[in-house]
Amino acid sequence: MIEYLLLAFGEAIMVFGALGILRFPDVYTRLHAATKCDTGGAMTILIALALMAHAPTLVRLKFLVLAFLIALINPMVSHAIARGAYKYGIKPKVVVDMYAWDNP
Amino acid sequence: MHFYLKERLEEVRKRVLYEQYAARKIPTWERIILTWMVLLPFWLVVSGNSRPANVAIGAATTLIISSLMRDMLTLDVRSKGNILQKGLYFMLVWAPQLAVIMMFRILESSVRVARNVMFMDINPGIVKIKTDLNSDTGITVLANSITLTPGTLTLDVRRKLGETYLYVHWIDVETLNREKAGEEIKGDIEEWLKKIFW
């Protein structure tokens, strides 16, 4: 039962993340939505698959290894994209920018 | 005034001594065994069968790899307590509690961003917070945890005068005070990391 709940939750997060990529104003806020697709959506779907699969325990644990690798890689990639966009010169639409204060 | 200066100097000296003590490297064989304890379960899960021959091959291979790669993972681990105690504490208490905390934070962050998408009540800003961690591995894990927690994204790290600062893109800025913002963003993750990394 709980695996179907997790699957539905992951699908909903995927839909809202895709909607956020369309609706948010600039690169950095869109990155928030895109990374939540990965962590909230893909990881819950993988955990649900690990609970549902008809397989021995060691094979089910491979899904958890995949979820752990996503949790490691996703923040690194989002940090690289955000920092690269800032260094390239894309100005964020923000109320306060303390990074620009220190890098005039 | 004089007494105040003396007290302050004493405090700084004690802190420097403690930092030197905490930054000491752990011995080589402890580093090898800690890396081996991480690599062997990974081999077991990825190879997927648990016959004795397979486990023996995996143990030998991961021991060779961990003796070559001993500095990559465990260079910044605090050097107190003995090895068995540290390993058991790490495997049975520290890692599961951190995993449970991070799992609930990830769920909360997904729900919060879904709410932001629906109502568009965003107020983004880039704030600067200070952290007490000093080692490379500790700062990396802290920055990754900040990116996974609700509504924040790490932009850059800067070291200045022996102190470390993080620039964080916050989707809903609540306060500009550095201490309050740091408490709001880091939460109790930093306390957990300070138990293992210096």
Side-chain angles (χ1 to χ4, degrees):
Chain A
M1 185 58 207
I2 192 168
E3 57 261 29
Y4 294 107
L5 278 180
L6 281 173
L7 269 181
F9 183 81
E11 291 286 337
I13 292 301
M14 283 283 190
V15 169
F16 278 117
L19 207 62
I21 292 177
L22 293 175
R23 282 191 72 181
F24 276 154
D26 65 339
V27 178
Y28 308 95
T29 41
R30 282 180 186 184
L31 262 180
H32 278 283
T35 55
K36 265 54 185 185
C37 268
D38 260 2
T39 50
M43 281 175 67
T44 39
I45 289 175
L46 278 173
I47 291 172
L49 286 180
L51 289 174
M52 281 167 96
H54 295 286
T57 313
L58 274 177
V59 179
R60 289 181 183 201
L61 281 176
K62 286 183 186 178
F63 286 111
L64 295 186
V65 170
L66 275 181
F68 177 69
L69 286 181
I70 286 179
L72 275 186
I73 292 167
N74 177 34
M76 260 186 284
V77 175
S78 61
H79 156 72
I81 293 174
R83 190 165 177 273
Y86 203 101
K87 295 279 177 193
Y88 185 67
I90 299 171
K91 291 294 171 205
K93 289 174 186 161
V94 290
V95 290
V96 52
D97 190 352
M98 293 192 191
Y99 193 50
W101 296 355
D102 292 341
N103 300 289
Chain B
M1 189 68 195
H2 182 69
F3 284 115
Y4 170 74
L5 274 181
K6 203 172 172 184
E7 220 168 76
R8 179 95 182 116
L9 207 67
E10 203 64 29
E11 199 176 293
V12 168
R13 188 176 297 152
K14 219 182 279 178
R15 183 159 163 262
V16 167
L17 273 180
Y18 179 72
E19 296 271 319
Q20 278 176 353
Y21 172 74
R24 226 175 27 184
K25 287 177 188 171
I26 57 177
T28 308
W29 64 275
E30 286 192 2
R31 271 184 268 165
I32 293 176
I33 286 181
L34 275 179
T35 316
W36 190 59
M37 282 165 77
V38 175
L39 286 183
L40 185 57
F42 192 72
W43 165 276
L44 283 181
V45 171
V46 169
S47 75
N49 62 4
S50 56
R51 283 174 307 183
N54 188 38
V55 176
I57 293 174
T61 318
T62 48
L63 191 60
I64 293 170
I65 292 174
S66 58
S67 66
L68 291 175
M69 300 284 173
R70 61 182 180 271
D71 284 347
M72 294 190 70
L73 198 63
T74 59
L75 194 60
D76 299 328
V77 175
R78 278 186 192 275
S79 66
K80 61 182 179 188
N82 64 353
I83 173 78
L84 190 68
Q85 206 177 346
K86 203 186 293 177
L88 283 182
Y89 174 76
F90 181 77
M91 301 271 274
L92 296 181
V93 179
W94 192 82
Q97 267 173 334
L98 191 67
V100 168
I101 290 175
M102 289 313 293
M103 202 167 71
F104 279 103
R105 291 209 153 205
I106 287 170
L107 289 184
E108 187 199 342
S109 75
S110 315
V111 172
R112 196 181 280 195
V113 168
R115 197 201 64 194
N116 279 337
V117 169
M118 269 190 286
F119 300 117
M120 289 298 284
D121 52 349
I122 59 174
N123 184 22
I126 297 175
V127 296
K128 177 183 182 184
I129 59 173
K130 181 178 174 294
T131 167
D132 295 336
L133 290 162
N134 278 312
S135 63
D136 286 346
T137 316
I139 294 169
T140 309
V141 180
L142 178 69
N144 281 0
S145 312
I146 284 176
T147 305
L148 286 176
T149 51
T152 48
L153 194 152
T154 314
L155 253 182
D156 206 349
V157 181
R158 175 154 306 162
R159 265 197 200 130
K160 194 185 273 180
L161 300 177
E163 290 180 331
T164 314
Y165 296 99
L166 294 171
Y167 297 92
V168 176
H169 184 275
W170 201 357
I171 205 171
D172 190 7
V173 176
E174 292 162 14
T175 169
L176 290 181
N177 186 357
R178 189 175 290 162
E179 276 79 31
K180 275 185 196 164
E183 210 151 286
E184 194 86 13
I185 288 172
K186 287 183 292 190
D188 42 2
I189 299 288
E190 193 182 27
E191 295 300 317
W192 284 105
L193 290 178
K194 273 162 80 177
K195 287 181 186 171
I196 292 283
F197 302 109
W198 59 275

